[in-house]
Amino acid sequence: MIPILLLNGPNLNLLGQRQPEIYGADTLADVEDRARALGAELGLEVECRQSNHEGQLVDWIQEARGTAHAIVLNPGAYSHTSIAILDALNAFDGTVIEVHVSNIHRREAFRHRSYVSLRADGVIAGCGVQGYALALRRVAEVLA
Amino acid sequence: MIPILLLNGPNLNLLGQRQPEIYGADTLADVEDRARALGAELGLEVECRQSNHEGQLVDWIQEARGTAHAIVLNPGAYSHTSIAILDALNAFDGTVIEVHVSNIHRREAFRHRSYVSLRADGVIAGCGVQGYALALRRVAEVLA
Amino acid sequence: MIPILLLNGPNLNLLGQRQPEIYGADTLADVEDRARALGAELGLEVECRQSNHEGQLVDWIQEARGTAHAIVLNPGAYSHTSIAILDALNAFDGTVIEVHVSNIHRREAFRHRSYVSLRADGVIAGCGVQGYALALRRVAEVLA
Amino acid sequence: MIPILLLNGPNLNLLGQRQPEIYGADTLADVEDRARALGAELGLEVECRQSNHEGQLVDWIQEARGTAHAIVLNPGAYSHTSIAILDALNAFDGTVIEVHVSNIHRREAFRHRSYVSLRADGVIAGCGVQGYALALRRVAEVLA
Amino acid sequence: MIPILLLNGPNLNLLGQRQPEIYGADTLADVEDRARALGAELGLEVECRQSNHEGQLVDWIQEARGTAHAIVLNPGAYSHTSIAILDALNAFDGTVIEVHVSNIHRREAFRHRSYVSLRADGVIAGCGVQGYALALRRVAEVLA
Amino acid sequence: MIPILLLNGPNLNLLGQRQPEIYGADTLADVEDRARALGAELGLEVECRQSNHEGQLVDWIQEARGTAHAIVLNPGAYSHTSIAILDALNAFDGTVIEVHVSNIHRREAFRHRSYVSLRADGVIAGCGVQGYALALRRVAEVLA
Amino acid sequence: MIPILLLNGPNLNLLGQRQPEIYGADTLADVEDRARALGAELGLEVECRQSNHEGQLVDWIQEARGTAHAIVLNPGAYSHTSIAILDALNAFDGTVIEVHVSNIHRREAFRHRSYVSLRADGVIAGCGVQGYALALRRVAEVLA
Amino acid sequence: MIPILLLNGPNLNLLGQRQPEIYGADTLADVEDRARALGAELGLEVECRQSNHEGQLVDWIQEARGTAHAIVLNPGAYSHTSIAILDALNAFDGTVIEVHVSNIHRREAFRHRSYVSLRADGVIAGCGVQGYALALRRVAEVLA
Amino acid sequence: MIPILLLNGPNLNLLGQRQPEIYGADTLADVEDRARALGAELGLEVECRQSNHEGQLVDWIQEARGTAHAIVLNPGAYSHTSIAILDALNAFDGTVIEVHVSNIHRREAFRHRSYVSLRADGVIAGCGVQGYALALRRVAEVLA
Amino acid sequence: MIPILLLNGPNLNLLGQRQPEIYGADTLADVEDRARALGAELGLEVECRQSNHEGQLVDWIQEARGTAHAIVLNPGAYSHTSIAILDALNAFDGTVIEVHVSNIHRREAFRHRSYVSLRADGVIAGCGVQGYALALRRVAEVLA
Amino acid sequence: MIPILLLNGPNLNLLGQRQPEIYGADTLADVEDRARALGAELGLEVECRQSNHEGQLVDWIQEARGTAHAIVLNPGAYSHTSIAILDALNAFDGTVIEVHVSNIHRREAFRHRSYVSLRADGVIAGCGVQGYALALRRVAEVLA
Amino acid sequence: MIPILLLNGPNLNLLGQRQPEIYGADTLADVEDRARALGAELGLEVECRQSNHEGQLVDWIQEARGTAHAIVLNPGAYSHTSIAILDALNAFDGTVIEVHVSNIHRREAFRHRSYVSLRADGVIAGCGVQGYALALRRVAEVLA
């Protein structure tokens, strides 16, 4: 089993509670359970974490150096403001797939630019929580 | 079987011949064959077309009204310059998934903005030609 | 009878089918029939054409040199992106009236600028499909 | 007879005296006489007013609430600078048609943006003083 | 007694020590004491918290969902840079009043834009520390 | 009793008639009556005036020099376009509190900048017509 | 004696009372008296007027057509916002000299652009109230 | 003889008919005849084509892969808007020389940027139709 | 007699030879002769110099420290590009009057900004070569 | 011995491990050891800390008030996004020297602006890890 | 023989020594020798000069008035910053051909705009040092 | 002893005389003496030059090719406007350290961008004249 990291950023712990007409009824726990299950099918051991703290996310990305082969990351609002997360990802050698539940290009202008996209190998947006599953499939393909 | 349309825009007929270190060795015919096969598994009848002509793409998108339930579209360079394609998509009621083989956010600045993203339900970039497969999975999920 | 050309650009063949709450229930055929009839009243022979292809519109504008005395043109989405159409119009000596069914100034920012307005003698927007009739009246006045 | 208001803004009292090669030889009195006559034909009672004062125009637009069914307005230079007129129009429920004698899109850049266009139902520019007549026809159509 | 939350962001723990000619001589403790007292008069139970950490503020705003009826928030410097706080507030259903001790519009350009203002129901700036009291009065009025 | 001036700019005479879902059902007369009553409680003699004319507002602000100790001002649309009002306020030595009934930061982009905020001592926006009362309380505090 | 018009815009009636360290101790009456006296020496009959109303200034400029040979104009804050005054000046055939008491290029950015400068024949700024005298000398030279 | 392609874009079929004071009296046929003749002298077999259609130009550039050693291209208005042509040229390995009959840098701002220049090896502008001859000389030098 | 410096920048040695319809028929020698004569009347000893070299102008401005009481400067094209001249002027304590023969605000956009205006006490533009005389009168007034 | 604080921001704990061709082979521990040794020579007691958390850095800067005489700070990616750190530094009275190991002006555009530079007394960039030593020398000079 | 001037600006004296993979191995002396030889064939007497000083180039362009019939000019870095050279060229009546050895449109953004192009009759870029020869051919054609 | 060049640009010959509260009391001679002395300690032979002429600085930088191992350069105002100096530095193979006595990031906006920083290996700003000493220490380290 290949270890990978699935990271969620600020406010994604509210999945399923916040604007379900947009984000759907699945909670973060549901999403993480399904990610772990699909990962197992694909030969991936998926470690799941979430934080509202920019510095915590930087710490975890650093720790993934040498332990995880890929990071699937939904940086939430930090996508648009955090160069620190970008720098941490630049120091990580594995595959990075960026996921957004909604299509950020159809929302406010300040959500259109993502610093993380400057480093990500792949970007998947607007596919709902299925985006996490698609990202895992991509990781499996790349690592194969 | 649910009919859907897979459209490729300008220069994508050169897939496999142009910059294989970026785009891979698969030709457009390979990509379309695999899309039809995976579509069959997922209950989708995938019609494939490619053109270098903006107006031709508009024509096909209009014809898809009433016949196809979804469009998977790689608009190539027209992503960044064609409001006409955006308008045609706005007149289409089904699901639209936009695909880019490379991560356009890591290329020149004029490739960062996509008019098509303003209409697309989902956007997948930087996952190589696997992006077409991921898009079909998303279509199957939405139509289910 | 004075010959004039009435040109419609991309997606306007969908008039009456697309967003009728905005564009009304009249089809392009209805619009063209009424334009020919009103033209006849005003002493104008109105030739009507539509295309989704930028190059086709350029071809027709060039052919109008020496045959038509005026062009009534709804360039649709090409208003905002086509310098080629602007150049073709610059090579045409007759009167040019630009028509938009909706008020483009109340829509997305990228629809606010029209290259065609840099050449048009008159611009009519937001008067619904009646805009074509108003444009013909203007042409008749100018040619009188 | 349906009452409507025809408003002209700053410097339009100079029509016929200022740059006749652009604006023609008709004076404002001529324009208003013809507007009243055409209005009568179309079943419209046209009240005509002109002022160089922004506040005066705001006053008149407010007074039109409950008395006039439509406003035909050439805001002159205030098109480009007056949010106060825009706000007054936003408080008016009837139809608003904006008229410019010249094609403002072919003049200096600071004349390209019109605040009034954000509220106007229709916009007619570059049709000379005939633009007022075209606007009245549009009003008659909408009110019918 | 209705529970509400009074949040202060980075560097506001230095109130009374930093630039007293601008911010006055009151400490944060003074401000919070007076806020609790005035809250009691107005029927509000005011819980006061301060942090220099963006993620901590997001956590607290999330916890306020279901417990507090309103948030009075001085986001300090995070006003201008934190979309994460904006998103957290978007997930909170109660009233939000934004407070700035100084008039941010008279300071450096990068302090003129506040993401929080995109969500706030009311904004009070440049009223000194009295701004907190005015905000509480507003909350009492809204909740009454 | 300390004399102060409460000024309202263009279109605010329509309060209670225009968009009551936004501005509430109170008329300007109601607002002014309550302002005078609250002023009396707080030891302030509140003189109330409204005009749609930019120049009239400048005149009144100039006259307030030497007679009023403070100005509470809702400049309406002139907030965004009038440097003349800003200059007049710069020549006034007393306290200036700017009021907006709605939160201008959540409206169109051209309403985000206020010239008056460059001079105002306090700014209150998005508190409904209660904003006038909060402003009077602030004035009373400052003058005490 | 050649008739000319000396116009002052908003807040210039406060000359000598407002910021004398910048504008000096001379009142507008002093300035106008000296202008009339110097005009007499130079063969010019100087008519002096001031208003805080944009529309009033437009009216006066229009009236000057056919009566005055030149206009010396300090448009105050309307320099930066009034296209209406620019248009009125464009309809005036005589000489126009623009005067600013202070050097507007050393003040806030929004005072750097003057619409009036697009029409003025000469511009004099930062020479204090002497600027009016220099402008009259220039007028006398041009009319000679 | 080395095969090369000479391509002309939209509206260049009007050479000699449109604005001869700018473009000269030579027709496109004249230009192409002389190009073939000079090419023969220099050892180049010059294939000449023109189209108003963006997609057609893309098709031809793609076909030139493997058959032509160089492309001399006047993209006309598509220089400024077509990323699709740029992409097609990026897939062509030979020499590319861009020609403009007029000096595009002395025309409207939107003609100053050329996407094609990002790929072209050489750019020649403002040398009239002689520019084609100079381009051929450059091609001969490079291929020698 | 008070010593002052009159400096002219690049291309002003061509006065009288270049575009006389704009700049008049006077040569630089004529201008300097008249400046010396008027200076003598006003009690000023006017030293005149011209250079096309930016560094030479910086040298002369530095040398004027301690010897000249004022500088009248027409920086020509360096107005718009030279921060070095601005810095040299910032190190000069006397009066600085900037002169432009033409009204730079009516020319190309890149001539609208002058770095020198950020330091100049007074600015005179568009008064022809009489501008030098008006500047000397201003200097005499200030030094008196 | 004078106490000073040496702070490093996000990702600088990876010094020596990340891109050694740019940042060199020295680890953060090496850098801190050498800083303490050089500090001792210069009479400075250097306290060293590093964090990936913006709020933690704000906390430490606040604690330095009253204890440290100077701060040497490499804010890493927060240089470009953190107004909170700027505000904390604005509340610190001692000397602040900003250090960047690489020359940030030669990297991506979003790294060119540093909020910290708005407060720093000195800025040293592109001198490698020697930059810390140069900063300590500057601190010693200023405190002497 | 017709006299013409070939001017080279800053750093072009380093031709052949600086980045030969871009600029080739030819020195400036080689280029000038070949230019004189080719000029002689074409009936042109070519005077060659180079300077790193902006003012010197202005001086030489001025001297060419009345002596040279054309100027071939490679302004180097001054292309992008010198309005003074543009002004000098505007005072020259003959033909001006601008040459750049490399294709400036493929280099940094600040090299894309050339002031000199606003005046040049022809522009040749990216043809290596052969560009000088092509420019001489153009001059010969124009003067014939 | 290793030869290096210490260059100062325009107005730096006024060090010690201009704004001593910012730049200190040291003259350029003092600075150069100390630089030579410190250089000797560090094994560097420091050649010092200053000019107000952009072309002169370009000449000296070119001459340093092959003779000096490093350049310490304070380009003064040319930092912000001179691409010619940047090009000259690009042709120099040694180390380049840029020095600014004041912190240019805290001054006017047009001083924030430095072309020289695009080439410099190190940048030191806001360390007063000590910046030169720090730069020399950096040079010694790099050359060691």
Side-chain angles (χ1 to χ4, degrees), chain A residues 11-25:
Chain A
N11 296 301
L12 287 155
N13 55 327
L14 297 182
L15 266 181
Q17 307 171 49
R18 180 174 65 143
Q19 301 175 274
E21 72 286 1
I22 293 180
Y23 294 101

PDB file of all heavy atoms in Angstrom, chain A residues 11-25:
ATOM      1  N   ASN A  11     -12.702  25.682   6.982  1.00  0.00           N
ATOM      2  CA  ASN A  11     -14.156  25.626   6.817  1.00  0.00           C
ATOM      3  C   ASN A  11     -14.631  24.353   6.122  1.00  0.00           C
ATOM      4  O   ASN A  11     -15.844  24.152   6.033  1.00  0.00           O
ATOM      5  CB  ASN A  11     -14.680  26.857   6.046  1.00  0.00           C
ATOM      6  CG  ASN A  11     -14.447  28.143   6.821  1.00  0.00           C
ATOM      7  OD1 ASN A  11     -14.940  28.272   7.933  1.00  0.00           O
ATOM      8  ND2 ASN A  11     -13.671  29.067   6.271  1.00  0.00           N
ATOM      9  N   LEU A  12     -13.734  23.496   5.700  1.00  0.00           N
ATOM     10  CA  LEU A  12     -14.194  22.263   5.068  1.00  0.00           C
ATOM     11  C   LEU A  12     -14.663  21.254   6.103  1.00  0.00           C
ATOM     12  O   LEU A  12     -15.357  20.296   5.756  1.00  0.00           O
ATOM     13  CB  LEU A  12     -13.117  21.694   4.144  1.00  0.00           C
ATOM     14  CG  LEU A  12     -13.035  22.588   2.893  1.00  0.00           C
ATOM     15  CD1 LEU A  12     -11.692  22.511   2.233  1.00  0.00           C
ATOM     16  CD2 LEU A  12     -14.144  22.230   1.909  1.00  0.00           C
ATOM     17  N   ASN A  13     -14.351  21.458   7.381  1.00  0.00           N
ATOM     18  CA  ASN A  13     -14.961  20.654   8.445  1.00  0.00           C
ATOM     19  C   ASN A  13     -16.472  20.903   8.522  1.00  0.00           C
ATOM     20  O   ASN A  13     -17.191  20.157   9.156  1.00  0.00           O
ATOM     21  CB  ASN A  13     -14.302  20.950   9.790  1.00  0.00           C
ATOM     22  CG  ASN A  13     -14.336  22.430  10.129  1.00  0.00           C
ATOM     23  OD1 ASN A  13     -14.254  23.264   9.221  1.00  0.00           O
ATOM     24  ND2 ASN A  13     -14.461  22.772  11.391  1.00  0.00           N
ATOM     25  N   LEU A  14     -16.969  21.918   7.858  1.00  0.00           N
ATOM     26  CA  LEU A  14     -18.407  22.213   7.860  1.00  0.00           C
ATOM     27  C   LEU A  14     -19.130  21.575   6.678  1.00  0.00           C
ATOM     28  O   LEU A  14     -20.319  21.815   6.482  1.00  0.00           O
ATOM     29  CB  LEU A  14     -18.628  23.735   7.831  1.00  0.00           C
ATOM     30  CG  LEU A  14     -18.087  24.504   9.038  1.00  0.00           C
ATOM     31  CD1 LEU A  14     -18.420  25.975   8.893  1.00  0.00           C
ATOM     32  CD2 LEU A  14     -18.675  23.965  10.326  1.00  0.00           C
ATOM     33  N   LEU A  15     -18.423  20.794   5.868  1.00  0.00           N
ATOM     34  CA  LEU A  15     -19.072  20.134   4.720  1.00  0.00           C
ATOM     35  C   LEU A  15     -20.338  19.423   5.175  1.00  0.00           C
ATOM     36  O   LEU A  15     -20.331  18.716   6.196  1.00  0.00           O
ATOM     37  CB  LEU A  15     -18.131  19.101   4.103  1.00  0.00           C
ATOM     38  CG  LEU A  15     -17.281  19.559   2.924  1.00  0.00           C
ATOM     39  CD1 LEU A  15     -16.434  18.400   2.429  1.00  0.00           C
ATOM     40  CD2 LEU A  15     -18.163  20.084   1.796  1.00  0.00           C
ATOM     41  N   GLY A  16     -21.415  19.588   4.420  1.00  0.00           N
ATOM     42  CA  GLY A  16     -22.666  18.917   4.769  1.00  0.00           C
ATOM     43  C   GLY A  16     -23.561  19.768   5.646  1.00  0.00           C
ATOM     44  O   GLY A  16     -24.766  19.563   5.716  1.00  0.00           O
ATOM     45  N   GLN A  17     -22.944  20.759   6.320  1.00  0.00           N
ATOM     46  CA  GLN A  17     -23.733  21.642   7.181  1.00  0.00           C
ATOM     47  C   GLN A  17     -23.927  23.012   6.528  1.00  0.00           C
ATOM     48  O   GLN A  17     -24.864  23.720   6.833  1.00  0.00           O
ATOM     49  CB  GLN A  17     -23.032  21.870   8.512  1.00  0.00           C
ATOM     50  CG  GLN A  17     -22.645  20.582   9.230  1.00  0.00           C
ATOM     51  CD  GLN A  17     -21.778  20.852  10.432  1.00  0.00           C
ATOM     52  OE1 GLN A  17     -22.077  21.689  11.273  1.00  0.00           O
ATOM     53  NE2 GLN A  17     -20.647  20.135  10.528  1.00  0.00           N
ATOM     54  N   ARG A  18     -22.997  23.401   5.686  1.00  0.00           N
ATOM     55  CA  ARG A  18     -22.973  24.730   5.116  1.00  0.00           C
ATOM     56  C   ARG A  18     -23.467  24.656   3.681  1.00  0.00           C
ATOM     57  O   ARG A  18     -22.944  23.871   2.906  1.00  0.00           O
ATOM     58  CB  ARG A  18     -21.525  25.245   5.144  1.00  0.00           C
ATOM     59  CG  ARG A  18     -21.334  26.616   4.591  1.00  0.00           C
ATOM     60  CD  ARG A  18     -19.905  27.100   4.800  1.00  0.00           C
ATOM     61  NE  ARG A  18     -18.923  26.315   4.060  1.00  0.00           N
ATOM     62  CZ  ARG A  18     -17.816  26.839   3.477  1.00  0.00           C
ATOM     63  NH1 ARG A  18     -17.562  28.122   3.587  1.00  0.00           N
ATOM     64  NH2 ARG A  18     -16.977  26.070   2.835  1.00  0.00           N
ATOM     65  N   GLN A  19     -24.473  25.460   3.321  1.00  0.00           N
ATOM     66  CA  GLN A  19     -24.960  25.557   1.949  1.00  0.00           C
ATOM     67  C   GLN A  19     -25.044  24.211   1.245  1.00  0.00           C
ATOM     68  O   GLN A  19     -24.374  23.983   0.220  1.00  0.00           O
ATOM     69  CB  GLN A  19     -24.048  26.495   1.142  1.00  0.00           C
ATOM     70  CG  GLN A  19     -23.981  27.905   1.742  1.00  0.00           C
ATOM     71  CD  GLN A  19     -22.995  28.778   1.004  1.00  0.00           C
ATOM     72  OE1 GLN A  19     -21.808  28.759   1.310  1.00  0.00           O
ATOM     73  NE2 GLN A  19     -23.459  29.498   0.019  1.00  0.00           N
ATOM     74  N   PRO A  20     -25.851  23.260   1.761  1.00  0.00           N
ATOM     75  CA  PRO A  20     -25.905  21.923   1.146  1.00  0.00           C
ATOM     76  C   PRO A  20     -26.376  21.958  -0.309  1.00  0.00           C
ATOM     77  O   PRO A  20     -26.057  21.048  -1.076  1.00  0.00           O
ATOM     78  CB  PRO A  20     -26.896  21.165   2.050  1.00  0.00           C
ATOM     79  CG  PRO A  20     -27.635  22.212   2.809  1.00  0.00           C
ATOM     80  CD  PRO A  20     -26.723  23.388   2.926  1.00  0.00           C
ATOM     81  N   GLU A  21     -27.131  22.997  -0.698  1.00  0.00           N
ATOM     82  CA  GLU A  21     -27.554  23.073  -2.100  1.00  0.00           C
ATOM     83  C   GLU A  21     -26.340  23.224  -3.012  1.00  0.00           C
ATOM     84  O   GLU A  21     -26.374  22.872  -4.182  1.00  0.00           O
ATOM     85  CB  GLU A  21     -28.550  24.235  -2.305  1.00  0.00           C
ATOM     86  CG  GLU A  21     -27.974  25.627  -2.229  1.00  0.00           C
ATOM     87  CD  GLU A  21     -27.629  26.077  -0.816  1.00  0.00           C
ATOM     88  OE1 GLU A  21     -27.826  25.291   0.135  1.00  0.00           O
ATOM     89  OE2 GLU A  21     -27.152  27.217  -0.658  1.00  0.00           O
ATOM     90  N   ILE A  22     -25.248  23.731  -2.487  1.00  0.00           N
ATOM     91  CA  ILE A  22     -24.018  23.846  -3.275  1.00  0.00           C
ATOM     92  C   ILE A  22     -23.085  22.667  -3.012  1.00  0.00           C
ATOM     93  O   ILE A  22     -22.592  22.025  -3.924  1.00  0.00           O
ATOM     94  CB  ILE A  22     -23.262  25.151  -2.924  1.00  0.00           C
ATOM     95  CG1 ILE A  22     -24.072  26.351  -3.376  1.00  0.00           C
ATOM     96  CG2 ILE A  22     -21.885  25.158  -3.584  1.00  0.00           C
ATOM     97  CD1 ILE A  22     -23.408  27.671  -3.062  1.00  0.00           C
ATOM     98  N   TYR A  23     -22.849  22.382  -1.725  1.00  0.00           N
ATOM     99  CA  TYR A  23     -21.796  21.431  -1.380  1.00  0.00           C
ATOM    100  C   TYR A  23     -22.311  20.008  -1.185  1.00  0.00           C
ATOM    101  O   TYR A  23     -21.533  19.090  -0.992  1.00  0.00           O
ATOM    102  CB  TYR A  23     -21.079  21.895  -0.113  1.00  0.00           C
ATOM    103  CG  TYR A  23     -20.327  23.173  -0.314  1.00  0.00           C
ATOM    104  CD1 TYR A  23     -20.822  24.393   0.113  1.00  0.00           C
ATOM    105  CD2 TYR A  23     -19.097  23.170  -0.982  1.00  0.00           C
ATOM    106  CE1 TYR A  23     -20.124  25.572  -0.088  1.00  0.00           C
ATOM    107  CE2 TYR A  23     -18.396  24.333  -1.186  1.00  0.00           C
ATOM    108  CZ  TYR A  23     -18.914  25.530  -0.740  1.00  0.00           C
ATOM    109  OH  TYR A  23     -18.225  26.683  -0.948  1.00  0.00           O
ATOM    110  N   GLY A  24     -23.639  19.820  -1.190  1.00  0.00           N
ATOM    111  CA  GLY A  24     -24.198  18.486  -0.998  1.00  0.00           C
ATOM    112  C   GLY A  24     -24.358  18.163   0.479  1.00  0.00           C
ATOM    113  O   GLY A  24     -23.983  18.959   1.356  1.00  0.00           O
ATOM    114  N   ALA A  25     -24.911  16.974   0.763  1.00  0.00           N
ATOM    115  CA  ALA A  25     -25.256  16.602   2.135  1.00  0.00           C
ATOM    116  C   ALA A  25     -24.170  15.784   2.809  1.00  0.00           C
ATOM    117  O   ALA A  25     -24.261  15.461   3.993  1.00  0.00           O
ATOM    118  CB  ALA A  25     -26.586  15.827   2.137  1.00  0.00           C
TER     119      ALA A  25
END
